[in-house]
Amino acid sequence: MQAVKVASGDMVDYTPSSDVAAGAVVLQGDLIGIALQAIPANTKGALAVQGVFDIAKATGTGTAVTAGALVYWDATNGVATTSSSGSSSGSSSSGSSGSSSSGSSGSSGSSGSSGTSSGSGANKLIGKAVAAAATTDAKVRVRLSQ
């Protein structure tokens, strides 16, 4: 036997080493998940890895997002951006904190973080914008795709 389905794939298990707030964007390597509920430290919870979410984005010059654009997570500033590397421009909205993972639905775990850089210096792909967001909008609507 080479593979056994263990979950539908819209959620993955996550055990943080510190509290994670509901709505926090959590980065585990190249996997982006969103906590639908608060997850206390050292307690197994779940992260959504599929769906459509309103995600904080920077505001100001150069921060508009067109519908259909690829959207990345800028963990340094805690915002969504269309830039695949470096930091997004404009002023930062809100970030979140929390860290560590225990794995996800049958796969081995990897360290992760929420609101902090993964160390690679590059922003991680979240998905595609499903609606345009103006430079004054503090959020962008994104369909997660990994």
Side-chain angles (χ1 to χ4, degrees):
M1 174 172 41
Q2 295 194 10
V4 175
K5 182 177 180 177
V6 296
S8 66
D10 58 338
M11 304 288 286
V12 295
D13 294 338
Y14 179 68
T15 304
S17 62
S18 59
D19 292 349
V20 174
V25 175
V26 178
L27 176 63
Q28 297 182 88
D30 286 332
L31 180 66
I32 298 282
I34 298 178
L36 299 181
Q37 300 178 35
I39 307 171
N42 304 310
T43 303
K44 188 191 306 186
L47 301 175
V49 292
Q50 292 182 2
V52 178
F53 293 86
D54 285 341
I55 300 176
K57 72 172 236 354
T59 57
T61 304
T63 63
V65 179
T66 58
L70 291 177
V71 179
Y72 299 86
W73 181 245
D74 175 354
T76 300
N77 294 305
V79 294
T81 178
T82 56
S83 172
S84 63
S85 62
S87 296
S88 60
S89 60
S91 59
S92 172
S93 294
S94 63
S96 53
S97 63
S99 64
S100 187
S101 81
S102 68
S104 58
S105 302
S107 64
S108 63
S110 62
S111 346
S113 64
S114 164
T116 59
S117 175
S118 66
S120 68
N123 296 331
K124 302 299 182 181
L125 180 66
I126 301 172
K128 291 184 180 175
V130 296
T135 59
T136 56
D137 292 333
K139 295 180 181 177
V140 59
R141 186 157 291 172
V142 178
R143 179 184 176 274
L144 300 183
S145 59
Q146 330 240 349

